[in-house]
Amino acid sequence: MKVDQTKPLEYSTEQNNLNILGFWMFLGAEIMLFATLFASYFTLEGRTGSGPSGSEIFEITPVIFETFILLTSSFTIGLGVHAMRLMNKKATIAFFSITLLLGLAFVGFEVVEFFTYIEEGAALQTSAFTSILLSTLGTHGAHVTFGLFWGLFILIQIKKRGITPETANKSFIFSLYWHFLDVVWIFIFSFVYLKGMM
Amino acid sequence: MDFFDRFAIPHPSPVIYASMVAIALTLVAIVAGVTYTKKWGYLWREWLTTVDHKRIGMMYLISALLMLFRGGADAIMMRAQTALPENTLLDSQHYNEIFTTHGVVMIIFMAMAFIMALMNFVVPLQIGARDVAFPRLNALSFWLYFWGAMLFNISFVIGGSPDAGWTSYFPLAGNEFSQSVGTNYYMIAIQIAGLGTLITGINFIVTILKMRAPGMKLMKMPMFTWSALITNLIIVFAFPVLTVALAMGTIDRLFGGNFFTTTDGGMDMLWANLFWVWGHPEVYILILPAFGIYSEIIPTFARRNLYGYKSMVASIVLISVLSFVVWVHHFFTMGQGAMVNSIFSITTMAIAIPTGIKIFNWLFTLWKGKITITVPMLYSLGFIPIFTIGGVTGVMLGMSAADYQYHNTMFLVAHFHLVIIPGVVFAMLAGLTYWWPKMFGFMLNERIGKLSFWLISIGTCVAFFPMFISGLDGQARRMYTYSEATGFGIWNMISFVGAIMLAAGFVTIVYNIYYSTRYASRDISSDPWDARSLEWATHTPVPDYNFAITPQVNSSEAFWDSKKNGHKLFPGNYKEIHMPNNSGVPFIMSAIFFVLGFALVFSIWILAVIALLGIFACLAHRSFEQDHGYHIPVEEVKETEEKLGGARQ
């Protein structure tokens, strides 16, 4: 394994470079995935059948909490990557842990939100609107949940193996993923919740 | 026994029971054969766990040929049923199932796999790379495709085939009108295979962008590599749309969602739109690599460099962009206004411009060339006129006002077969014959190959030209029979004759493979066609590491330059070579995907959860695994090179 000392650790080997570009391509595919979901959401938004509409079920308070939690976690993972570049293992682990805890809190809020919707008669089967709403939110939520496990595995590897070109590469890629989910959430917040409540 | 009732065929027939027995016997024969010859270890070590792009390419090739025969059998049955008016060979339900599986198998499991086969084998060699960027993901791609194909193919013996057409339009494909599990198979098997395709897309983009030999700038890439790059970009941007559409369809069918239903706000046209937002770029995912193959073969056998390299690149880029803005032309008659239809008519016809540029470039490459007529060249020459007929009728269909006459008739069926067969099938057969010596170390027999070409090309014309006439006369597609008074009988009978010629052509290809494997000379050079690009610069058979020394490139035809103009392709000395390790995880994980898919098709939730946990365990294993590959020492490289006929210049 040839290590290029002039570059940040996560870019220091040939394979690391390939991994990062590959992940950007994957994010391109993810953009298309969420774009399709959003396009379908806008198409089906008004088609509520006999079920409730967005303005009847959306509540601003938990959504604001979710937003702040997720945005903060994006900030902390940025600090984590910064600490990693300074080769500060302790700080890296700390910031990644905070990120994952915030992610967990976000998922917790979302689960409660889903149960509330179902109680209020907005289940997956209720109408085209609820189907696409829960699918769009659910796809994002499933990504965050998947990220929790992925992040945890990387955290364990940093703890065990230290900050190496490999773990640095994995953490950096994970941070790209996490920031991406944050960006998607901003779109969900603006175009699902805020638009729906207006 | 209630649990097992769900696996019964809803609409059985003796043919299906016979197939069941045949499948069971084949499986037993394979297992017994491998056990008897004690090849399980070999199979596992050399093939099931391989991450070598060349072997993965070969496995794609074998799968594609198998699927070609599955889809071909469907085609023959359809043509036989409609050969006579009011024929009773098949009933309407079986006919529906057969045209559905014919479409899906041919597009998703045959054509895609064939393209993946050639791309996998050729692209890393053409750019002078050791392997793809992510060899293990490449294995995962193949096995996901393979197990997805298997899941789709068991549908007709377990639970019933999908029967809503390869486009699977809702509400027909919804629970109300498609009550058997057939359409579940459609939604889930394509999802699994599609995941593999998406991963290939990412893998090859990174490979082509990052792993080219030194000196090979983008505008010095061989044309097949260019087409592979653009194809994979389309894959990455089009397949997620299908992923979402299939997931929505699955939610509708399994969990009672309301995306495409006719009640509670559901919108069936959303499916049609999403399907074709993926489906039209998919057409170009199929055709662009074919264009790439022709652009390799025509210069080789015309002994001239490709005419208009830059305009070739520009036109595939333009085609890829336009491919995303024409999808509505698949349903002009389904309720848009005149304005929307007109816009999509214009974008559709615009695609004829870059395609026309390519056709003329090939013709100009042939102009004053020293043409040798080999089998790959025959396919390339046959492609140009037949494809042009298919393409021009496509422009006719693209005129939205006129389309009201052609829509859903046999005219359409004739059109798309006359672009897909010369476009994709001819290209694949040409590419197969062309790269066969590099893959397997001997050449396919030219005489039998020429016989196959004539049978297939004349068969194509005889099978599909009559459909233009019966279509304009009003014969609708997907009708299992018609009355004698319609007068369609004669045209359908001619089509049937053509279909038999096509089938005979494919049988001669199999015979050719058998014959050449037995009798062809193994004493061929590593460059039997006197070709121009890098894949011919390494040994035959290609060593595991592809190139002992990374080639140095100075033009788009570096190998030609090294032969004719004294360019030094392999400067320097042997170094030790880093190689990836084999892994069984891609195979196992994809097999678990098969189990997951099967569980979802039949709504066996406990099994589905167990399978999901299995997939998760494979992912976790990969996350913690430390695998740095291995190194081939210099002595071993030297030894291998000498055994294969000495160092390359």
Side-chain angles (χ1 to χ4, degrees), chain B residues 76-102:
Chain B
I76 282 286
M77 283 193 275
M78 275 190 282
R79 285 296 105 221
Q81 160 63 22
T82 50
L84 297 169
E86 289 173 53
N87 200 357
T88 53
L89 184 69
L90 299 169
D91 61 25
S92 59
Q93 175 61 25
H94 281 141
Y95 194 79
N96 292 349
E97 291 176 9
I98 286 169
F99 72 64
T100 302
T101 53
H102 169 74

Side-chain angles (χ1 to χ4, degrees), chain B residues 99-156:
Chain B
F99 72 64
T100 302
T101 53
H102 169 74
V104 174
V105 166
M106 285 302 203
I107 299 280
I108 311 249
F109 300 125
M110 188 282 283
M112 289 296 282
F114 224 133
I115 286 163
M116 295 297 173
L118 295 179
M119 232 159 52
N120 259 289
F121 190 87
V122 176
V123 167
L125 291 173
Q126 255 188 357
I127 62 173
R130 291 264 147 73
D131 205 316
V132 293
F134 312 110
R136 191 168 310 182
L137 277 184
N138 202 22
L140 182 65
S141 288
F142 169 72
W143 289 113
L144 283 173
Y145 151 75
F146 177 83
W147 286 108
M150 289 301 115
L151 183 63
F152 189 84
N153 275 284
I154 61 167
S155 66
F156 82 111

Side-chain angles (χ1 to χ4, degrees), chain B residues 20-41:
Chain B
M20 263 187 216
V21 175
I23 290 173
L25 287 178
T26 313
L27 284 177
V28 170
I30 292 173
V31 172
V34 176
T35 310
Y36 182 73
T37 53
K38 299 201 175 74
K39 291 281 188 198
W40 284 111

Side-chain angles (χ1 to χ4, degrees), chain A residues 3 5 18 24 54 101 113 131 155 165-166 169 175 186:
Chain A
V3 179
Q5 304 291 357
L18 297 178
W24 277 109
L101 287 175
E113 189 190 331
S131 290
L155 196 62
E166 251 195 345
N169 187 243
S175 78
I186 290 169

Side-chain angles (χ1 to χ4, degrees), chain A residues 155-175:
Chain A
L155 196 62
I156 295 169
Q157 288 170 40
I158 298 177
K159 207 171 159 71
K160 269 180 148 166
R161 299 172 195 165
I163 299 174
T164 65
E166 251 195 345
T167 53
N169 187 243
K170 288 182 181 183
S171 325
F172 180 74
I173 287 174
F174 178 68
S175 78

